[in-house]
Amino acid sequence: PRPPDQHLLIEGLPGTGKTFIIKTIRNMTRKIHKSNWADLACAPTGCAASLIDGSTTCRSFSIPTGKKYKKAPENRAVTNVSQYRAAQIAFASIITQNHDESSMNGRSDFAFIKHRNEEYRRKDEILPEEDPPSDEDVDVLPDKVMLPPDVYERPHGGIPFISIVGDTNQLPPVMKKPVYSTHTPVASTSDAVGKI
């Protein structure tokens, strides 16, 4: 049987080696699995993301802005089948996912991260928004890159290892509720989903 997924929370003061840990985990994953697609590293800001050779959380998980950010996460509308298919292949390949500067992520961010992990790692037919889609618009991912149901039905799509690294006393999220907030969120919002 497949072992349980590992979720790791690392907190520490600035300069204690948190970024070094992320880089070490990334290098180990790439060496063991012999693939640069085996890991994903992200951070809320471009500066923090560049230190771990990753990308921003918003870009990695296609987090929307404006009013869509406040709504509960839903699957992305497929306007470009090739782009969506590439995201599914990339996410199906992830063995480790590393999040830096977690104190700057709000509850809504965590809701979208979880939803995108599960959305992209599932085997789905990809249908564009056209009504009705033509036969050429339907694209199904080949079985060789997709995960079995006992993996993708797990939380976060069954990613084997997720690390969340940061300093809770460093910088709070901007214009967002932090994960430790005691405020009751409005129902059916990304904030409510993130609290859960």
Side-chain angles (χ1 to χ4, degrees):
R2 190 173 188 270
D5 302 330
Q6 301 295 310
H7 295 178
L8 178 67
L9 173 66
I10 301 172
E11 292 184 342
L13 295 173
T16 55
K18 299 184 301 291
T19 300
F20 177 77
I21 289 173
I22 289 177
K23 286 185 168 187
T24 303
I25 291 170
R26 294 190 74 192
N27 288 334
M28 286 175 14
T29 303
R30 289 175 177 199
K31 287 277 189 194
I32 292 169
H33 295 279
K34 296 177 177 45
S35 169
N36 287 344
W37 293 94
D39 73 292
L40 182 145
C42 62
T45 65
C47 183
S50 69
L51 291 175
I52 57 171
D53 301 320
S55 62
T56 63
T57 305
C58 290
R59 183 177 181 92
S60 297
F61 297 96
S62 303
I63 297 177
T65 57
K67 291 181 181 178
K68 288 184 178 180
Y69 178 75
K70 300 287 184 193
K71 294 181 181 176
E74 54 187 34
N75 289 354
R76 288 182 59 205
V78 180
T79 54
N80 183 325
V81 172
S82 299
Q83 189 179 53
Y84 195 87
R85 187 170 184 266
Q88 284 191 301
I89 292 169
F91 272 73
S93 304
I94 294 174
I95 304 298
T96 65
Q97 198 172 85
N98 301 284
H99 303 265
D100 199 6
E101 301 296 345
S102 63
S103 65
M104 296 177 69
N105 281 331
R107 291 192 297 212
S108 298
D109 295 325
F110 283 106
F112 278 102
I113 289 168
K114 183 178 186 292
H115 183 83
R116 292 290 185 253
N117 281 336
E118 293 169 357
E119 173 187 0
Y120 288 146
R121 287 173 65 87
R122 197 174 46 230
K123 182 176 181 177
D124 280 337
E125 285 186 348
I126 305 172
L127 303 173
E129 278 192 309
E130 292 176 19
D131 248 351
S134 66
D135 289 340
E136 6 181 278
D137 290 331
V138 180
D139 190 8
V140 181
L141 283 171
D143 287 334
K144 66 179 181 180
V145 298
M146 293 316 297
L147 303 165
D150 66 318
V151 174
Y152 68 69
E153 288 174 355
R154 291 180 172 203
H156 286 277
I159 292 175
F161 182 83
I162 298 176
S163 70
I164 298 175
V165 181
D167 177 0
T168 52
N169 298 319
Q170 197 167 8
L171 294 169
V174 178
M175 304 292 291
K176 304 170 190 174
K177 294 282 186 215
V179 290
Y180 52 81
S181 173
T182 57
H183 290 95
T184 304
V186 177
S188 301
T189 62
S190 57
D191 191 33
V193 175
K195 184 175 174 68
I196 292 169

